[in-house]
Amino acid sequence: RFGSSRFLHRPRGPSPVRVEPGTAPQACPHPRAMMKAAIGAIVPMVGLEQAAGNSLYLAKLCRGRVCTDPKMPLLDYDRQQDACICRGHPCWDADGQTHTCSTPEYPHLRFLYDPMRKLHCDCSARPFLSSVFISKSLCAGQRCEQDDYPELDWDEEKGECVCRRNPCSHIEGVVHSCPDSRFPILRYREEDPETAGGEPKKICECVARLDHARHMEMDQEL
């Protein structure tokens, strides 16, 4: 099994933290207790932070696109193709090695790129969803360590990397949550406006954990 997670006390701050070349990413702090709710439901909760991975920049760049194939679950942007694509988790095939996370306390496979754009994989207590384009091409060597601002993103206006809250914590003052452990990732995406010149439709949804072994089992069952 690759990489056991470590519990660390970390400095808090909204700015991305530099990662030295060759340094593996550190594990996230201990997760907050999950709340009970109906299976598969997104639960609106005021004042509750939901950790997951979301990019406002990518949601805008790839508006109207969604990835539904569990083997290619990550919506991303390919600079060479100048197009939005669906891709697999980079740690599922890292130089021919498949990384997995089987420890219940740290079940979420996370990736990060150091300043040399070398891939690092580890296991996190916090649900994780990110973009290779942002993590590798735009913000290589940076990570977000503050619980309240966990999402590494690109600020198009400032032209710099930033740490954001989950976008679903800013939709009409309501924070959404994914309490079902089978669908722990709170994903934010956007659809095109219903009318010309209107606001894009903002969508929060719960999706399954990025589990390569489970996807392989599903293929075998079929």
Side-chain angles (χ1 to χ4, degrees):
R1 183 179 67 235
F2 175 80
S4 60
S5 294
R6 289 167 285 174
F7 180 82
L8 298 177
H9 294 284
R10 298 182 157 176
R12 291 182 174 272
S15 299
V17 176
R18 274 284 172 191
V19 180
E20 295 301 321
T23 301
Q26 303 300 307
C28 298
H30 194 278
R32 294 184 175 92
M34 299 183 69
M35 300 189 66
K36 294 182 179 180
I39 293 177
I42 300 178
V43 182
M45 298 298 295
V46 177
L48 174 68
E49 288 292 337
Q50 169 70 38
N54 303 268
S55 166
L56 287 175
Y57 175 69
L58 190 67
K60 177 183 177 182
L61 190 65
C62 299
R63 186 172 294 158
R65 297 289 303 275
V66 61
C67 297
T68 58
D69 185 347
K71 293 182 292 185
M72 307 285 283
L74 300 183
L75 179 64
D76 215 343
Y77 175 76
D78 188 298
R79 178 173 282 170
Q80 292 184 339
Q81 298 182 43
D82 189 23
C84 294
I85 61 170
C86 295
R87 69 163 80 241
H89 195 301
C91 295
W92 288 349
D93 186 9
D95 295 327
Q97 185 176 5
T98 300
H99 299 297
T100 60
C101 295
S102 57
T103 304
E105 293 82 5
Y106 302 95
H108 302 285
L109 185 59
R110 182 175 66 166
F111 65 86
L112 177 145
Y113 292 87
D114 67 23
M116 304 303 294
R117 291 186 168 83
K118 180 182 178 181
L119 174 65
H120 296 271
C121 305
D122 76 347
C123 299
S124 170
R126 186 169 62 195
F128 179 84
L129 189 69
S130 190
S131 157
V132 172
F133 175 61
I134 292 175
S135 300
K136 182 178 182 180
S137 300
L138 299 180
C139 301
Q142 301 189 60
R143 66 185 178 202
C144 296
E145 295 189 325
Q146 184 174 348
D147 284 353
D148 292 340
Y149 298 87
E151 320 300 346
L152 182 63
D153 205 356
W154 178 255
D155 189 312
E156 192 174 9
E157 294 183 0
K158 296 181 179 179
E160 63 183 17
C161 300
V162 296
C163 292
R164 298 190 194 275
R165 290 182 176 180
N166 189 310
C168 293
S169 66
H170 297 278
I171 297 180
E172 299 179 354
V174 178
V175 179
H176 296 82
S177 175
C178 295
D180 188 345
S181 60
R182 295 176 302 172
F183 305 96
I185 297 177
L186 181 58
R187 181 173 66 185
Y188 173 79
R189 60 185 179 88
E190 296 180 358
E191 293 287 349
D192 292 324
E194 295 181 357
T195 59
E199 290 291 322
K201 185 177 181 181
K202 301 175 181 179
I203 299 175
C204 295
E205 54 195 2
C206 297
V207 297
R209 180 166 62 93
L210 306 181
D211 187 341
H212 183 267
R214 176 55 184 157
H215 300 333
M216 295 299 292
E217 290 176 2
M218 292 173 63
D219 285 347
Q220 292 177 359
E221 291 174 359
L222 294 175

